[in-house]
């Protein structure tokens, strides 16, 4: 397993070489703290595992679009998987190159397609025949040609939480793999499309590689059939999906093992292989740092009330997701407590953990909600008029704020009485 960027030194939780309490003192809480080397290490694990095989690792921007993270990955040579015009804007702003961008998503608007065509992105991963026609028409108007993949739905069960599973026939995503051949055939008549690739993405937080490999086998046989018909498929985009250990007992395949298994199936086929990892690049390199405000007992039940809430991290409420909650100062003498860990938002559903056996933290103590580098800040909101948390990047023994905490003025920007 890859080294974790968060470790205890003298019972004090550190990110790389920086103690979290020193960040809290200067930057306040709640805040997200990321490890630059943790993120880079995981990107390089993908990149190195592919080795000589033609490949591109396209970071799924939706997992965490902070400019500092995008910039870090762009400089390391990553490509990007985007799902909106806003994400393309972020990538370009961070110094990413448009020719390394793939555009996924089931509902691209004409404005977004035009923007992406003007910037000259690598590929559109298309999800319907009408979308193909739209891209063709807009490319014609701009006097250009668009590189296209069809996102096919291989109909495999990703065996993950239903809200983050995408690869079954009845889902809204992709095109039924059995209809794909005919659609590719018809798409050849579009003069402003280049049919270069096939793509798929079956779901997220997969702890076993088998569904991903099953999907790959089905997509490879489609590639063979398309090539036999004279459609010169050059790349295969397998999407994201590799899971991370949210619980100490979770045991996902390592990035190196997963890529080795992809390579074993693809290296002899004259195909460029692309992947779109989001979570597995960034989740483990982030924590949500928060302070305990109160303790209380209601009807015999212990509550730990934090200054972070569901508006900062909605995954527990939305997906029953588990995030470890670690004391920033470890003190064995304090013992443990079984408690609901909740925030200040006025909803019963506002919790970060339920019935959790954890360190017996007291008001004023700091806690780190672990594995929150992915799908955490990006899904945060201003609910209850709570300014969004700041974001901080650590590298070695240095750190800096990479997104300021929102102010009350930020809360009302654009509104009028
Ligand atoms: N490519 C496509 C087309 C996707 O839809 C996704 C994720 C990815 C790549 C990246 O997948 P990853 O490597 O991160 O598993 N908010 C949810 C996760 C939603 C994932 C949506 N699609 C969560 O917090 O668990």
């Amino acid at each position: 397993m890859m080294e974790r960027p968060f470790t205890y030194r003298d019972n004090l939780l550190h990110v790389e070489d920086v103690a979290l309490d020193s960040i809290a003192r200067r930057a306040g809480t709640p805040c997200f703290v990321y490890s630059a080397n943790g993120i880079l290490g995981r990107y390089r694990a993908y990149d190195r595992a592919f080795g000589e095989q033609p490949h591109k690792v396209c970071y799924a921007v939706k997992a965490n679009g902070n400019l500092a993270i995008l910039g870090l990955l762009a400089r390391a040579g990553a490509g990007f998987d985007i799902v909106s015009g806003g994400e393309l804007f972020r990538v370009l702003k961070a110094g990413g190159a448009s020719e390394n961008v793939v555009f996924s998503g089931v509902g691209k608007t004409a404005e977004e397609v035009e923007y992406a065509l003007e910037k000259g992105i690598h590929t559109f991963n298309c999800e319907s025949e009408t979308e193909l026609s739209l891209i063709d028409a807009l490319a014609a108007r701009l006097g250009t040609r668009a590189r296209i993949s069809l996102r096919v739905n291989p109909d495999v069960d990703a065996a993950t939480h239903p809200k983050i599973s995408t690869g079954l026939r009845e889902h809204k995503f992709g095109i039924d793999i059995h209809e794909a051949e005919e659609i590719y055939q018809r798409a050849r008549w579009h003069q402003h499309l280049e049919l270069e690739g096939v793509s798929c993405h079956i779901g997220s937080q997969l702890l076993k590689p088998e569904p991903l490999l099953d999907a790959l086998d089905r997509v490879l046989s489609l590639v063979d059939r398309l090539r036999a018909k004279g459609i010169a498929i050059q790349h295969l985009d397998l999407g994201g999906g590799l899971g991370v250990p949210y619980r100490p007992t979770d045991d996902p395949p390592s990035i190196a093992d997963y890529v080795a298994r992809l390579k074993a199936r693809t290296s002899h086929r004259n195909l460029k292989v692309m992947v779109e990892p989001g979570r597995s690049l960034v989740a483990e390199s982030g924590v949500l740092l928060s302070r305990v405000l109160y303790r209380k007992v209601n009807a015999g039940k212990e509550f730990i009330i934090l200054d972070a809430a569901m508006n900062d991290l909605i995954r527990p409420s939305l997906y029953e997701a588990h995030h470890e909650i670690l004391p920033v100062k470890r003190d064995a003498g304090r013992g443990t407590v079984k408690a609901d860990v909740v925030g200040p938002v006025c909803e019963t559903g506002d919790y970060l953990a339920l019935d959790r056996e954890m360190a017996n933290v007291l008001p004023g103590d700091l806690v780190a909600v672990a594995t929150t580098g992915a799908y955490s800040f990006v899904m945060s909101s201003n609910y209850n008029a709570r300014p969004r948390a700041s974001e901080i990047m650590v590298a070695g023994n240095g750190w800096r704020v990479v997104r300021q905490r929102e102010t009350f003025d930020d809360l009302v920007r654009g509104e009028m009485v």
Side-chain angles (χ1 to χ4, degrees):
M1 189 181 288
M2 191 168 299
E3 202 188 311
R4 292 189 169 219
F6 297 86
T7 49
Y8 282 98
R9 294 187 197 164
D10 293 331
N11 289 318
L12 197 56
L13 192 58
H14 283 64
V15 191
E16 302 196 24
D17 299 327
V18 179
L20 278 171
D21 63 340
S22 69
I23 294 181
R25 258 198 310 278
R26 286 182 38 211
T29 54
C31 64
F32 286 91
V33 183
Y34 307 126
S35 158
N37 288 303
I39 294 170
L40 277 178
R42 280 157 181 81
Y43 168 74
R44 292 198 183 111
Y46 270 102
D47 194 45
R48 284 209 193 105
F50 276 110
E52 297 298 303
Q53 167 157 5
H55 67 276
K56 195 84 205 169
V57 180
C58 294
Y59 170 57
V61 175
K62 66 170 82 67
N64 189 333
N66 185 286
L67 294 184
I69 292 180
L70 301 181
L72 196 68
L73 289 169
R75 288 192 297 280
F80 298 94
D81 165 49
I82 60 162
V83 291
S84 69
E87 287 189 351
L88 177 54
F89 178 80
R90 281 188 171 277
V91 168
L92 299 175
K93 195 97 186 155
S98 54
E99 65 264 25
N100 289 334
V101 170
V102 300
F103 194 167
S104 302
V106 68
K108 304 176 188 77
T109 66
E111 291 74 20
E112 289 174 319
V113 170
E114 245 173 8
Y115 177 38
L117 283 169
E118 275 162 9
K119 296 296 174 191
I121 65 162
H122 186 281
T123 307
F124 291 85
N125 290 340
C126 298
E127 303 215 10
S128 67
E129 237 177 324
T130 30
E131 183 190 334
L132 286 176
S133 305
L134 174 74
I135 296 175
D136 182 61
L138 293 173
R141 202 162 82 198
L142 293 173
T144 181
R145 286 166 70 84
R147 281 177 296 274
I148 296 294
S149 274
L150 281 197
R151 172 168 173 186
V152 298
N153 193 328
D155 195 25
V156 300
D157 185 353
T160 184
H161 189 281
K163 280 204 177 115
I164 54 176
S165 174
T166 52
L168 290 177
R169 290 179 76 178
E170 62 267 29
H171 289 141
K172 73 174 176 180
F173 298 103
I175 290 173
D176 189 334
I177 195 161
H178 308 292
E179 290 167 27
E181 251 176 283
E182 275 179 35
I183 297 177
Y184 272 98
Q185 294 269 38
R186 286 198 288 273
R188 289 169 111 170
W189 296 99
H190 289 304
Q191 304 207 347
H192 296 270
L193 301 184
E194 285 172 26
L195 307 177
E196 273 203 12
V198 180
S199 74
C200 78
H201 169 82
I202 61 168
S204 200
Q205 183 53 14
L206 274 68
L207 292 173
K208 297 243 177 317
E210 285 76 17
L212 289 159
L213 299 171
D214 281 354
L216 173 59
D217 288 339
R218 294 181 191 197
V219 172
L220 283 172
S221 91
L222 173 65
V223 169
D224 290 343
R225 295 196 301 274
L226 293 172
R227 283 178 163 176
K229 295 218 159 81
I231 298 172
I233 298 299
Q234 296 166 38
H235 77 254
L236 180 98
D237 179 343
L238 254 186
L242 188 62
V244 300
Y246 284 105
R247 297 171 195 267
T249 49
D250 288 341
D251 188 23
S254 72
I255 292 170
D257 287 348
Y258 171 56
V259 173
R261 296 180 74 170
L262 300 185
K263 264 181 84 172
R265 285 167 156 82
T266 53
S267 59
H268 50 287
R269 282 170 176 268
N270 189 25
L271 264 181
K272 175 172 174 177
V273 175
M274 299 167 56
V275 284
E276 302 169 352
R279 190 186 320 262
S280 55
L281 284 185
V282 294
E284 294 157 276
S285 295
V287 295
L288 171 57
L289 184 59
S290 172
R291 206 175 277 283
V292 179
L293 296 176
Y294 301 101
R295 286 282 299 264
K296 71 191 254 184
V297 182
N298 269 0
K301 198 179 181 77
E302 290 276 356
F303 289 91
I304 296 171
I305 303 171
L306 302 182
D307 65 1
M310 68 188 292
N311 75 294
D312 300 297
L313 177 64
I314 202 173
R315 301 192 72 258
S317 315
L318 192 58
Y319 311 121
E320 295 108 44
H322 177 100
H323 289 268
E324 290 287 302
I325 301 181
L326 307 169
V328 167
K329 271 203 184 84
R330 212 160 46 177
D331 179 357
R334 284 268 198 90
T336 61
V337 62
K338 188 174 198 180
D340 283 8
V341 182
V342 302
V345 163
C346 297
E347 294 233 17
T348 304
D350 175 29
Y351 55 82
L352 300 184
L354 296 179
D355 282 325
R356 181 70 60 85
E357 186 76 38
M358 59 177 278
N360 187 19
V361 288
L362 298 174
D365 287 346
L366 292 166
V367 295
V369 186
T371 332
T372 47
Y375 304 113
S376 298
F377 180 85
V378 283
M379 295 178 79
S380 68
S381 76
N382 292 123
Y383 189 36
N384 278 203
R386 288 170 51 84
R388 274 185 293 177
S390 55
E391 294 177 282
I392 283 147
M393 182 70 83
V394 174
N397 58 14
W399 61 275
R400 65 191 174 91
V401 175
V402 292
R403 189 184 207 270
Q404 286 172 1
R405 182 180 309 289
E406 287 180 343
T407 63
F408 287 171
D409 279 327
D410 291 329
L411 292 179
V412 295
R413 177 152 308 135
E415 290 182 39
M416 36 230 112
V417 176

